[in-house]
Amino acid sequence: MNFTLKSSAIQAEVAKLRFRTKAFINGKFSPSASGKTYASINPANGTTIANIAACDETDINRAVAVARKAFEDGRWSQMKPGDRKTVMLKFVELLEANAMEIALLDSIDAGKPIYDCVNIDIPDAIHCIHWHAELIDKLYERVAPCGPDTVAMIVREPIGVVGMILPWNFPAQMMAWKIGPALAAGNSLVIKPAKQTSLSALFIAELATVAGIPDGVLNVVPGAGSVLGPALCRHMDVDMVAFTGSTSVGRDLLRYSADSNLKRIILELGGKNPQVVLSDADIDNVVPHAMNSAFWNMGENCSSGSRLIVHRSVKNELLKKLIKYTATWPLGDPLNPKTRVGPLIEPSHMATVLNYIEIGKKEGGKLVLGGKQVRQRSGGNFVELTIFDEVKKSMTIAKEEIFGPVLAVIPVDSDEEAVAVANETNYGLAASLHTRDMNKAHRYARAIRAGVVSVNSFSEGDLTTPFGGFKESGFFGRDKSSYAHEQYSELKTIWMQLG
Ligand code: NAD
């Protein structure tokens, strides 16, 4: 993408944006059945970007019906793998051609710095769809070793109608992590984007149709999660729901499934992720990774390393350098290409984050950076990067997912204590471990209970590696890699007795 754009050029691009605001069902945009709409608000200034169709159960039922029809008649599910790949590669081409527009939509809708959208989110989203498209005609099925009188084939088939419920923190990227493997596997989709961030999903759906993904295969139904979520997850004709969001809503999904048709549920949930820094760590290397881990995407990141568990002998050096480093990330208008810290998603979420900061102070955390709302006159939801030192593992800010720019520094006195504290959480999504000792790196990376452990870095891996959580961070599934592809398919045995 061309990222030499100046702020003024970006503003000009924003002025040209055309918003898709209606539901996308059966290859066409249509208003909600009720005719109702809701305002999508720009978190950077509180203004209305567009009025979006406020769909309800009637719209979900219509989308599921067309998705079911598309699945059953085989227009996508039975397409030859090579042909399906060709269509998906055309989709990738269109995404590339429209990458800047998608980046701008996510930036204004979610308050994400355009720097991140252009450099990380949208390239990763496109690469994800490309990666899964390329996989389509490279997967072989199996024949079981049953002896000469039988041919037993073990094959994979698409699951059917798959619902997808998305969060607002990485709108296009989380959509891509799900639709890439699910489309590649031949399913029909009904997608419910987060209410706050539907614009990129609606545009991407349109591009999919222009690319040749048949009508009815990829449907997007925007609206409130409390209305659409139960309608989709209790639907008797939906075979699976893939969800990324909070642990509390994840629990509801399991109930909806149990109360309806036992549809397969895949949950990618929250985290209270540890960054473990041992006494022998290379502190200069730790600093930028600790920064990214704690504050990338304003801390509105499921894999955010919001607990910095650091050996007391190196804590002061690390903290001093980290605080200095925070000054290199300007806070401001997300459309300014220099901005690295934008607003939080909405006023109510900002209030929650500020409340956690007050709790941190009351419970005895030592506030050493930030702690306040800023840029009030912008009308946006900006909170300073915030660091608490001397946090005890029993404090609320050390235990609960804040989902904002608040880092809790927890000093420890030994490696063993560091790993034990890292594991003292109900979550288990991601972790980082910093040490120069490769023996410790191997041992402790195994000992930490998390779906992704990155050593001497903060990383979620790349497209070739699965992403998902242990414990209350996830259930049953993984995003990315061939493991994601597998989870969007059913395993079937075809047993043939020979005469
Ligand atoms: P959320 O759970 O409030 O919302 C997620 C989605 O669920 C939205 O589309 C929302 O409209 C919908 N929803 C709300 N109520 C529902 C209901 N009753 N039934 C079905 N759907 C419903 O989460 P959020 O605030 O959008 O996202 C933040 C959370 O997501 C954090 O906890 C974060 O850690 C998690 N997250 C996890 C990952 C991951 O890969 N593990 C990635 C990003 C975010």
Side-chain angles (χ1 to χ4, degrees), residues 97-129:
N98 292 279
M100 191 65 196
E101 187 166 342
I102 300 168
L104 290 169
L105 289 174
D106 271 6
S107 181
I108 59 172
D109 223 9
K112 295 174 71 77
I114 188 71
Y115 176 93
D116 288 341
C117 297
V118 166
N119 290 303
I120 304 170
D121 292 45
I122 308 308
D124 181 274
I126 297 171
H127 179 49
C128 176
I129 293 174

mmCIF file of all heavy atoms in Angstrom, residues 97-129:
data_model
loop_
_atom_site.group_PDB
_atom_site.id
_atom_site.type_symbol
_atom_site.label_atom_id
_atom_site.label_comp_id
_atom_site.label_asym_id
_atom_site.label_seq_id
_atom_site.Cartn_x
_atom_site.Cartn_y
_atom_site.Cartn_z
ATOM 1 N N ALA A 97 -6.643 -4.216 -4.443
ATOM 2 C CA ALA A 97 -6.925 -2.973 -5.175
ATOM 3 C C ALA A 97 -7.669 -1.967 -4.301
ATOM 4 O O ALA A 97 -7.607 -0.765 -4.537
ATOM 5 C CB ALA A 97 -7.742 -3.290 -6.427
ATOM 6 N N ASN A 98 -8.380 -2.468 -3.299
ATOM 7 C CA ASN A 98 -9.198 -1.585 -2.452
ATOM 8 C C ASN A 98 -8.675 -1.513 -1.019
ATOM 9 O O ASN A 98 -9.409 -1.122 -0.097
ATOM 10 C CB ASN A 98 -10.648 -2.080 -2.450
ATOM 11 C CG ASN A 98 -11.299 -1.900 -3.806
ATOM 12 O OD1 ASN A 98 -11.751 -0.802 -4.126
ATOM 13 N ND2 ASN A 98 -11.309 -2.947 -4.622
ATOM 14 N N ALA A 99 -7.407 -1.881 -0.838
ATOM 15 C CA ALA A 99 -6.863 -1.992 0.525
ATOM 16 C C ALA A 99 -6.913 -0.668 1.278
ATOM 17 O O ALA A 99 -7.247 -0.621 2.474
ATOM 18 C CB ALA A 99 -5.435 -2.515 0.468
ATOM 19 N N MET A 100 -6.592 0.411 0.586
ATOM 20 C CA MET A 100 -6.571 1.712 1.289
ATOM 21 C C MET A 100 -7.966 2.080 1.775
ATOM 22 O O MET A 100 -8.140 2.583 2.886
ATOM 23 C CB MET A 100 -6.022 2.792 0.346
ATOM 24 C CG MET A 100 -5.709 4.085 1.050
ATOM 25 S SD MET A 100 -4.361 3.866 2.255
ATOM 26 C CE MET A 100 -4.556 5.336 3.227
ATOM 27 N N GLU A 101 -8.962 1.792 0.941
ATOM 28 C CA GLU A 101 -10.337 2.123 1.341
ATOM 29 C C GLU A 101 -10.746 1.300 2.572
ATOM 30 O O GLU A 101 -11.364 1.828 3.506
ATOM 31 C CB GLU A 101 -11.289 1.862 0.165
ATOM 32 C CG GLU A 101 -12.689 2.347 0.443
ATOM 33 C CD GLU A 101 -13.566 2.422 -0.803
ATOM 34 O OE1 GLU A 101 -13.030 2.437 -1.927
ATOM 35 O OE2 GLU A 101 -14.798 2.469 -0.635
ATOM 36 N N ILE A 102 -10.378 0.028 2.576
ATOM 37 C CA ILE A 102 -10.720 -0.815 3.736
ATOM 38 C C ILE A 102 -9.993 -0.299 4.985
ATOM 39 O O ILE A 102 -10.565 -0.217 6.073
ATOM 40 C CB ILE A 102 -10.358 -2.293 3.456
ATOM 41 C CG1 ILE A 102 -11.119 -2.802 2.233
ATOM 42 C CG2 ILE A 102 -10.683 -3.163 4.665
ATOM 43 C CD1 ILE A 102 -10.621 -4.152 1.713
ATOM 44 N N ALA A 103 -8.720 0.091 4.800
ATOM 45 C CA ALA A 103 -7.947 0.614 5.933
ATOM 46 C C ALA A 103 -8.605 1.870 6.497
ATOM 47 O O ALA A 103 -8.728 2.031 7.725
ATOM 48 C CB ALA A 103 -6.514 0.918 5.486
ATOM 49 N N LEU A 104 -9.058 2.744 5.617
ATOM 50 C CA LEU A 104 -9.694 3.985 6.081
ATOM 51 C C LEU A 104 -11.007 3.686 6.805
ATOM 52 O O LEU A 104 -11.316 4.303 7.835
ATOM 53 C CB LEU A 104 -9.951 4.920 4.894
ATOM 54 C CG LEU A 104 -8.701 5.543 4.271
ATOM 55 C CD1 LEU A 104 -9.030 6.220 2.951
ATOM 56 C CD2 LEU A 104 -8.058 6.554 5.231
ATOM 57 N N LEU A 105 -11.764 2.734 6.272
ATOM 58 C CA LEU A 105 -13.041 2.393 6.927
ATOM 59 C C LEU A 105 -12.789 1.894 8.353
ATOM 60 O O LEU A 105 -13.456 2.308 9.299
ATOM 61 C CB LEU A 105 -13.783 1.315 6.120
ATOM 62 C CG LEU A 105 -14.371 1.756 4.774
ATOM 63 C CD1 LEU A 105 -14.940 0.558 4.023
ATOM 64 C CD2 LEU A 105 -15.438 2.830 4.965
ATOM 65 N N ASP A 106 -11.798 1.014 8.512
ATOM 66 C CA ASP A 106 -11.520 0.497 9.859
ATOM 67 C C ASP A 106 -10.986 1.603 10.767
ATOM 68 O O ASP A 106 -11.293 1.645 11.960
ATOM 69 C CB ASP A 106 -10.509 -0.662 9.801
ATOM 70 C CG ASP A 106 -11.206 -2.007 9.627
ATOM 71 O OD1 ASP A 106 -12.443 -2.018 9.446
ATOM 72 O OD2 ASP A 106 -10.513 -3.050 9.672
ATOM 73 N N SER A 107 -10.195 2.509 10.185
ATOM 74 C CA SER A 107 -9.615 3.566 11.011
ATOM 75 C C SER A 107 -10.708 4.476 11.564
ATOM 76 O O SER A 107 -10.727 4.773 12.771
ATOM 77 C CB SER A 107 -8.594 4.365 10.200
ATOM 78 O OG SER A 107 -8.020 5.362 10.997
ATOM 79 N N ILE A 108 -11.638 4.903 10.707
ATOM 80 C CA ILE A 108 -12.651 5.843 11.213
ATOM 81 C C ILE A 108 -13.723 5.140 12.034
ATOM 82 O O ILE A 108 -14.275 5.716 12.958
ATOM 83 C CB ILE A 108 -13.319 6.674 10.084
ATOM 84 C CG1 ILE A 108 -14.002 5.772 9.057
ATOM 85 C CG2 ILE A 108 -12.303 7.589 9.424
ATOM 86 C CD1 ILE A 108 -14.825 6.566 8.038
ATOM 87 N N ASP A 109 -13.972 3.870 11.743
ATOM 88 C CA ASP A 109 -15.051 3.154 12.431
ATOM 89 C C ASP A 109 -14.609 2.687 13.820
ATOM 90 O O ASP A 109 -15.385 2.689 14.767
ATOM 91 C CB ASP A 109 -15.423 1.921 11.583
ATOM 92 C CG ASP A 109 -16.916 1.715 11.479
ATOM 93 O OD1 ASP A 109 -17.662 2.610 11.917
ATOM 94 O OD2 ASP A 109 -17.329 0.668 10.951
ATOM 95 N N ALA A 110 -13.334 2.263 13.922
ATOM 96 C CA ALA A 110 -12.852 1.678 15.184
ATOM 97 C C ALA A 110 -11.883 2.603 15.918
ATOM 98 O O ALA A 110 -11.430 2.269 17.010
ATOM 99 C CB ALA A 110 -12.157 0.338 14.898
ATOM 100 N N GLY A 111 -11.519 3.745 15.302
ATOM 101 C CA GLY A 111 -10.548 4.643 15.938
ATOM 102 C C GLY A 111 -9.131 4.103 15.886
ATOM 103 O O GLY A 111 -8.260 4.538 16.633
ATOM 104 N N LYS A 112 -8.893 3.165 15.002
ATOM 105 C CA LYS A 112 -7.551 2.561 14.920
ATOM 106 C C LYS A 112 -6.606 3.494 14.160
ATOM 107 O O LYS A 112 -6.992 4.037 13.121
ATOM 108 C CB LYS A 112 -7.616 1.243 14.151
ATOM 109 C CG LYS A 112 -8.428 0.166 14.828
ATOM 110 C CD LYS A 112 -8.558 -1.054 13.938
ATOM 111 C CE LYS A 112 -7.255 -1.782 13.819
ATOM 112 N NZ LYS A 112 -6.906 -2.587 14.969
ATOM 113 N N PRO A 113 -5.360 3.635 14.626
ATOM 114 C CA PRO A 113 -4.425 4.446 13.865
ATOM 115 C C PRO A 113 -4.313 3.935 12.429
ATOM 116 O O PRO A 113 -4.148 2.723 12.208
ATOM 117 C CB PRO A 113 -3.101 4.261 14.619
ATOM 118 C CG PRO A 113 -3.525 3.941 16.022
ATOM 119 C CD PRO A 113 -4.789 3.139 15.886
ATOM 120 N N ILE A 114 -4.379 4.875 11.472
ATOM 121 C CA ILE A 114 -4.265 4.475 10.066
ATOM 122 C C ILE A 114 -2.916 3.792 9.820
ATOM 123 O O ILE A 114 -2.808 2.892 8.988
ATOM 124 C CB ILE A 114 -4.489 5.696 9.122
ATOM 125 C CG1 ILE A 114 -4.580 5.259 7.661
ATOM 126 C CG2 ILE A 114 -3.393 6.761 9.289
ATOM 127 C CD1 ILE A 114 -5.812 4.523 7.299
ATOM 128 N N TYR A 115 -1.923 4.181 10.604
ATOM 129 C CA TYR A 115 -0.599 3.543 10.514
ATOM 130 C C TYR A 115 -0.742 2.022 10.693
ATOM 131 O O TYR A 115 -0.169 1.232 9.933
ATOM 132 C CB TYR A 115 0.316 4.127 11.601
ATOM 133 C CG TYR A 115 1.678 3.491 11.682
ATOM 134 C CD1 TYR A 115 2.763 4.020 10.984
ATOM 135 C CD2 TYR A 115 1.890 2.346 12.462
ATOM 136 C CE1 TYR A 115 4.011 3.429 11.055
ATOM 137 C CE2 TYR A 115 3.135 1.748 12.535
ATOM 138 C CZ TYR A 115 4.196 2.287 11.831
ATOM 139 O OH TYR A 115 5.426 1.697 11.901
ATOM 140 N N ASP A 116 -1.501 1.614 11.709
ATOM 141 C CA ASP A 116 -1.676 0.179 11.967
ATOM 142 C C ASP A 116 -2.537 -0.483 10.886
ATOM 143 O O ASP A 116 -2.247 -1.591 10.444
ATOM 144 C CB ASP A 116 -2.339 -0.048 13.340
ATOM 145 C CG ASP A 116 -1.402 0.245 14.496
ATOM 146 O OD1 ASP A 116 -0.178 0.277 14.276
ATOM 147 O OD2 ASP A 116 -1.895 0.445 15.619
ATOM 148 N N CYS A 117 -3.618 0.218 10.496
ATOM 149 C CA CYS A 117 -4.512 -0.384 9.491
ATOM 150 C C CYS A 117 -3.748 -0.657 8.199
ATOM 151 O O CYS A 117 -3.906 -1.710 7.579
ATOM 152 C CB CYS A 117 -5.692 0.547 9.204
ATOM 153 S SG CYS A 117 -6.737 0.813 10.628
ATOM 154 N N VAL A 118 -2.922 0.317 7.797
ATOM 155 C CA VAL A 118 -2.215 0.208 6.522
ATOM 156 C C VAL A 118 -1.049 -0.777 6.598
ATOM 157 O O VAL A 118 -0.797 -1.520 5.655
ATOM 158 C CB VAL A 118 -1.722 1.613 6.087
ATOM 159 C CG1 VAL A 118 -0.694 1.508 4.973
ATOM 160 C CG2 VAL A 118 -2.893 2.463 5.640
ATOM 161 N N ASN A 119 -0.368 -0.770 7.726
ATOM 162 C CA ASN A 119 0.848 -1.596 7.821
ATOM 163 C C ASN A 119 0.608 -2.995 8.379
ATOM 164 O O ASN A 119 1.423 -3.890 8.143
ATOM 165 C CB ASN A 119 1.891 -0.891 8.690
ATOM 166 C CG ASN A 119 2.448 0.327 7.997
ATOM 167 O OD1 ASN A 119 2.987 0.235 6.901
ATOM 168 N ND2 ASN A 119 2.278 1.487 8.615
ATOM 169 N N ILE A 120 -0.456 -3.158 9.151
ATOM 170 C CA ILE A 120 -0.631 -4.455 9.822
ATOM 171 C C ILE A 120 -1.975 -5.099 9.468
ATOM 172 O O ILE A 120 -2.022 -6.137 8.818
ATOM 173 C CB ILE A 120 -0.514 -4.295 11.366
ATOM 174 C CG1 ILE A 120 0.841 -3.641 11.718
ATOM 175 C CG2 ILE A 120 -0.645 -5.656 12.062
ATOM 176 C CD1 ILE A 120 0.975 -3.210 13.157
ATOM 177 N N ASP A 121 -3.067 -4.467 9.897
ATOM 178 C CA ASP A 121 -4.377 -5.141 9.812
ATOM 179 C C ASP A 121 -4.748 -5.585 8.398
ATOM 180 O O ASP A 121 -5.101 -6.752 8.174
ATOM 181 C CB ASP A 121 -5.504 -4.211 10.288
ATOM 182 C CG ASP A 121 -5.454 -3.908 11.763
ATOM 183 O OD1 ASP A 121 -4.358 -3.626 12.272
ATOM 184 O OD2 ASP A 121 -6.522 -3.930 12.398
ATOM 185 N N ILE A 122 -4.691 -4.638 7.460
ATOM 186 C CA ILE A 122 -5.255 -4.957 6.142
ATOM 187 C C ILE A 122 -4.302 -5.872 5.348
ATOM 188 O O ILE A 122 -4.759 -6.855 4.750
ATOM 189 C CB ILE A 122 -5.643 -3.672 5.363
ATOM 190 C CG1 ILE A 122 -6.535 -2.775 6.255
ATOM 191 C CG2 ILE A 122 -6.342 -4.022 4.055
ATOM 192 C CD1 ILE A 122 -7.752 -3.443 6.896
ATOM 193 N N PRO A 123 -2.978 -5.608 5.380
ATOM 194 C CA PRO A 123 -2.099 -6.592 4.718
ATOM 195 C C PRO A 123 -2.257 -7.994 5.307
ATOM 196 O O PRO A 123 -2.277 -8.990 4.573
ATOM 197 C CB PRO A 123 -0.686 -6.043 4.987
ATOM 198 C CG PRO A 123 -0.885 -4.577 5.225
ATOM 199 C CD PRO A 123 -2.228 -4.425 5.862
ATOM 200 N N ASP A 124 -2.389 -8.087 6.638
ATOM 201 C CA ASP A 124 -2.551 -9.406 7.266
ATOM 202 C C ASP A 124 -3.879 -10.044 6.836
ATOM 203 O O ASP A 124 -3.941 -11.249 6.563
ATOM 204 C CB ASP A 124 -2.494 -9.269 8.790
ATOM 205 C CG ASP A 124 -2.641 -10.612 9.484
ATOM 206 O OD1 ASP A 124 -3.787 -11.059 9.722
ATOM 207 O OD2 ASP A 124 -1.596 -11.226 9.768
ATOM 208 N N ALA A 125 -4.925 -9.228 6.774
ATOM 209 C CA ALA A 125 -6.245 -9.758 6.380
ATOM 210 C C ALA A 125 -6.180 -10.331 4.960
ATOM 211 O O ALA A 125 -6.668 -11.435 4.689
ATOM 212 C CB ALA A 125 -7.291 -8.649 6.470
ATOM 213 N N ILE A 126 -5.564 -9.579 4.057
ATOM 214 C CA ILE A 126 -5.500 -10.022 2.656
ATOM 215 C C ILE A 126 -4.612 -11.270 2.545
ATOM 216 O O ILE A 126 -4.961 -12.239 1.855
ATOM 217 C CB ILE A 126 -4.981 -8.879 1.758
ATOM 218 C CG1 ILE A 126 -5.966 -7.704 1.798
ATOM 219 C CG2 ILE A 126 -4.786 -9.369 0.318
ATOM 220 C CD1 ILE A 126 -5.467 -6.438 1.125
ATOM 221 N N HIS A 127 -3.499 -11.222 3.254
ATOM 222 C CA HIS A 127 -2.594 -12.383 3.215
ATOM 223 C C HIS A 127 -3.302 -13.639 3.730
ATOM 224 O O HIS A 127 -3.107 -14.747 3.212
ATOM 225 C CB HIS A 127 -1.350 -12.071 4.053
ATOM 226 C CG HIS A 127 -0.364 -13.190 4.114
ATOM 227 N ND1 HIS A 127 0.082 -13.864 2.992
ATOM 228 C CD2 HIS A 127 0.258 -13.788 5.159
ATOM 229 C CE1 HIS A 127 0.928 -14.810 3.352
ATOM 230 N NE2 HIS A 127 1.048 -14.800 4.659
ATOM 231 N N CYS A 128 -4.140 -13.459 4.740
ATOM 232 C CA CYS A 128 -4.864 -14.603 5.318
ATOM 233 C C CYS A 128 -5.776 -15.246 4.263
ATOM 234 O O CYS A 128 -5.772 -16.475 4.089
ATOM 235 C CB CYS A 128 -5.690 -14.122 6.521
ATOM 236 S SG CYS A 128 -6.694 -15.412 7.228
ATOM 237 N N ILE A 129 -6.527 -14.420 3.547
ATOM 238 C CA ILE A 129 -7.447 -14.977 2.548
ATOM 239 C C ILE A 129 -6.641 -15.627 1.409
ATOM 240 O O ILE A 129 -6.974 -16.714 0.930
ATOM 241 C CB ILE A 129 -8.417 -13.883 2.061
ATOM 242 C CG1 ILE A 129 -9.318 -13.499 3.257
ATOM 243 C CG2 ILE A 129 -9.253 -14.359 0.884
ATOM 244 C CD1 ILE A 129 -10.241 -12.359 3.018
#
